[in-house]
């Protein structure tokens, strides 16, 4: 059996065309809704073709009476069944240890390259996550370009407090920053991986300008700095914080660091980055070349009108190699933000 | 300033030609010494040209009275001054925080992509390590192909106990396995990142077949398994261990896991993998497309005859982007193994 190589599994030119970065991303986002939708429809069809090869989808769709050919394109999307974490867990229980949702089984040239991590398990047991080479790089690209869109510069020094080990988070953001921005990345990790006092010293010694991670721990670092006699505002030069912040936390966090710009983004292990705030901080722009978001009624599962709250149901149109994700109910609640973007972008926005 | 992209900094076709993998590696290693040396000479000259652009080498070589043009090729190598960790630390002290040894300063297109980590600090203070995109991928390739050479298969499940956070180790081996073999990689990390009992459960649940890491902790995992009522031999299916093992540890380690094949390899943060045992376990084969090893007298610094002990002085002929390494004294002691390789390889070998 052959050792397949990660980079050989990626068509870089096609990847860059389907998933623009930098100025090309802004051009993509300024297109008409019809143009954006046509781009999505093309990628979606590729995902559907791949999903039909995978036992998990054959079962999910088969049980709903859907046959190959029934799914024409995006117009069919909201008639497909949703699935969620419990279905993935059931797939793993029935087919341990990797489940039958990933499509990683050996083919004629052996198994394709696969990245395996787990969720953090903060909302339950850790769950296996599987990524193909191409979809892994695309989710990194989408997060890297979101950081750029939020204001990350090539000369930034980025301090990450996302954890490593089996957990996906730290590895994912490391790849996003190091592969797709050229900021310098410090993989400090959790307080267990690098003591909090040491983290503050690292930030001071290496001139950190951006912190990424979770609100609570980033707030804690400001307190730890003060305890060490390091003023988090005067002695450090943080100018941007980006992470899983939530609405309430953002102001307190900004204040703790002297009024720095804080940006929220949303994504889960199964999807990668789904949406994030831009420089206008007026809702989270959906990364529509990679993600389709439907907001669905919590009880009926039907899409709700814009402005109504509901579950985020996500279709990852960039995942057409390993673990296609078509109508995954995250059970996180949001609503669609209406009105024009002050930046002139035609991307859908959701509330943080 | 432009955000430069990691993969754009790599000429994949050239990389694969200069650094063969799989069967191509064995063909490279079976060439005559003259052919291997010609390959090395070409790569060495590229590194020297790059080093002359970097203040650290301008100083190191200038102080030794060497001028551009004086270094003709490999025949000049052992007349160049050596440097070691203390010189890197002095470079950082004089030019904080990154020193002037990396050559990462901004050019006309902005700074090239740089990966930053630190050493573990087990033998002193942690030291900054800097990697360019291409040389990072080559060191990963060399370790991935060594694992293959030692017997890692595409269908293996590899459990790594190398730590993450700021430390290079865990990230490096993760890239080696996921980019260049297609075994499935479990980034368990240290006992702090994933509790030891949990590590054993992971190995059982995911069918781990290979463990990589440091001897002491891998030995400990066998004890922890027994304490949990899991027999490390009967209940787990480990068939290979590779890591920083040392001579004494290897037998005890093999025994603790029921006589599995254990392989040693050598490398430090500044060099990447330098040499490793092959399936014959008769000395460590030097990865001669990436590394030139000189064994030098500990007092005089002059190369010693084969079979005599001395410091490993390493020249990394794959590092021609960020942090070129030309005659780095690791202060680790070895000797050259003489006699023919039973595998018919013409690579230099050193003692583990």
């Amino acid at each position: 059996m052959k050792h397949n190589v990660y980079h050989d599994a990626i068509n870089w030119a096609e990847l860059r065309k389907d998933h623009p970065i930098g100025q090309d991303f802004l051009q993509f986002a300024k297109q008409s809704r019809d143009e954006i939708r046509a781009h999505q429809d093309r990628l979606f069809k590729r995902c559907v073709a791949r999903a039909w090869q995978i036992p998990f989808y054959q079962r999910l769709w088969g049980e709903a009476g859907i046959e190959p050919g029934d799914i024409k394109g995006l117009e069919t999307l909201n008639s497909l069944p949703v699935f969620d974490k419990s279905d993935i867990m059931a797939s793993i229980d029935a087919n341990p240890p990797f489940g039958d949702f990933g499509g990683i089984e050996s083919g004629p040239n052996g198994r394709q390259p696969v990245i395996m991590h787990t969720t953090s398990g903060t909302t339950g047991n850790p769950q296996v996550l599987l990524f193909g080479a191409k979809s892994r790089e695309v989710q990194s690209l989408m997060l890297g370009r979101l950081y750029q869109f939020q204001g990350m510069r090539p000369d930034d020094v980025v301090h990450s407090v996302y954890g490593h080990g089996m957990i996906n988070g730290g590895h994912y953001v490391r790849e996003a920053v190091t592969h797709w921005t050229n900021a310098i990345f410090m993989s400090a990790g959790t307080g267990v991986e690098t003591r909090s006092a040491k983290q503050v010293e690292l930030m001071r010694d290496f001139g950190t300008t951006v912190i990424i991670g979770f609100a609570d721990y980033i707030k804690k670092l400001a307190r730890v700095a003060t305890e060490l006699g390091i003023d988090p505002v005067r002695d450090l030069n943080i100018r941007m914080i980006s992470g899983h912040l939530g609405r309430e936390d953002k102001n307190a966090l900004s204040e703790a660091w002297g009024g720095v710009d804080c940006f929220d983004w949303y994504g889960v292990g199964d999807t990668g980055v789904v949406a994030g705030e831009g420089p206008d901080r007026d809702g989270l722009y959906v990364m529509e070349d990679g993600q389709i978001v439907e907001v669905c009624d919590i009880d009926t599962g039907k899409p709700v009108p814009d402005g109504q709250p509901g579950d985020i149901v996500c279709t990852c149109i960039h995942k057409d190699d390993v673990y296609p994700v078509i109508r995954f109910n995250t059970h996180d609640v949001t609503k669609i933000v209406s009105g024009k973007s002050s930046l002139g972008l035609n991307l859908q926005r959701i509330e943080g």
Side-chain angles (χ1 to χ4, degrees), chain A:
Chain A
M1 205 194 283
K2 191 173 165 287
H3 277 282
N4 292 315
V5 170
Y6 183 88
H7 304 283
D8 289 351
I10 299 169
N11 178 333
W12 292 103
E14 185 179 71
L15 184 159
R16 296 287 280 277
K17 191 172 140 289
D18 290 343
H19 306 285
I21 190 167
Q23 287 302 317
D24 295 339
F25 167 62
L26 297 182
Q27 275 178 27
F28 170 80
K30 285 177 179 170
Q31 291 180 110
S32 70
R33 289 300 311 167
D34 281 351
E35 286 168 313
I36 292 171
R37 184 138 173 126
H39 187 102
Q40 293 183 308
D41 192 57
R42 181 168 60 83
L43 271 52
F44 173 69
K45 284 173 178 155
R46 213 154 66 181
C47 291
V48 169
R50 175 71 182 114
W52 274 121
Q53 299 171 344
I54 294 171
F56 178 85
Y57 280 99
Q58 291 164 355
R59 195 167 60 243
L60 180 73
W61 291 347
E63 284 169 4
I66 298 163
E67 289 181 16
D70 288 351
I71 308 173
K72 304 295 182 194
L74 279 181
E75 70 271 23
T76 325
L77 181 64
N78 66 25
S79 69
L80 299 176
V82 300
F83 72 98
D84 64 16
K85 190 187 173 78
S86 67
D87 298 290
I88 297 298
M89 289 302 210
S91 164
I92 292 169
D93 281 348
N95 305 275
F98 298 114
D100 66 352
F101 61 93
I104 64 171
E105 298 74 15
S106 291
N109 292 315
R111 201 190 48 233
Q112 57 193 311
V114 171
I115 307 281
M116 175 206 164
H117 284 292
T118 68
T119 61
S120 60
T122 42
T123 57
N125 281 326
Q127 175 204 314
V128 173
L129 297 170
L130 300 168
F131 305 90
K134 181 229 142 177
S135 53
R136 179 97 194 159
E137 288 294 330
V138 174
Q139 74 165 22
S140 297
L141 178 152
M142 292 194 298
L143 182 57
R145 101 178 158 203
L146 174 65
Y147 286 143
Q148 295 177 24
F149 180 49
Q150 293 175 338
M152 190 180 286
R153 296 193 308 237
D155 60 350
D156 275 318
V157 174
V158 179
H159 184 99
S160 164
V161 302
Y162 290 101
H164 303 91
M166 291 298 292
I167 300 165
N168 182 53
H171 301 282
Y172 170 31
V173 300
R174 177 175 173 275
E175 287 162 46
V177 173
T178 57
H179 288 188
W180 298 102
T181 81
N182 60 298
I184 285 187
F185 185 77
M186 300 208 297
S187 48
T190 64
V192 180
E193 290 177 287
T194 307
R195 287 179 306 105
S196 301
K198 183 73 196 162
Q199 296 221 7
V200 172
E201 289 166 11
L202 280 168
M203 287 165 57
R204 179 196 58 198
D205 295 347
F206 289 98
T208 297
T209 49
V210 176
I211 311 174
I212 59 177
F214 297 98
D216 281 347
Y217 190 70
I218 302 177
K219 258 187 281 187
K220 179 182 169 168
L221 285 180
R223 289 197 304 274
V224 171
T226 305
E227 285 162 21
L228 289 171
I230 296 172
D231 187 303
V233 181
R234 277 198 312 273
D235 299 335
L236 300 173
N237 295 302
I238 310 305
R239 59 173 201 80
M240 171 180 166
I241 292 171
S242 181
H244 294 77
L245 306 184
R247 252 164 294 178
E248 309 72 26
D249 287 324
K250 226 162 35 171
N251 291 338
L253 185 57
S254 176
E255 204 175 313
W257 287 93
V260 306
D261 289 341
C262 293
F263 300 93
D264 192 16
W265 66 273
Y266 172 75
V268 296
D270 304 86
T271 61
V273 56
V274 171
E277 286 185 299
D280 55 346
R281 283 179 286 172
D282 180 20
L284 279 59
Y285 289 94
V286 176
M287 301 287 107
E288 288 202 62
D289 58 317
Q291 311 285 6
I292 292 175
V293 167
E294 299 169 272
V295 178
C296 295
D297 187 277
I298 295 169
D299 298 316
T300 68
K302 299 283 175 209
V304 298
D306 286 5
Q308 298 290 314
D311 279 338
I312 297 177
V313 172
C314 189
T315 295
C316 304
I317 52 174
H318 67 292
K319 285 166 84 88
D320 59 4
D321 47 5
V322 169
Y323 185 19
V325 172
I326 297 175
R327 300 204 90 204
F328 176 73
N329 190 341
T330 64
H331 294 298
D332 290 320
V333 172
T334 191
K335 41 188 167 183
I336 299 290
V337 174
S338 51
K340 278 188 96 67
S341 146
S342 66
L343 303 171
L345 306 188
N346 282 323
L347 297 179
Q348 192 185 35
R349 279 173 296 157
I350 59 175
E351 264 195 6

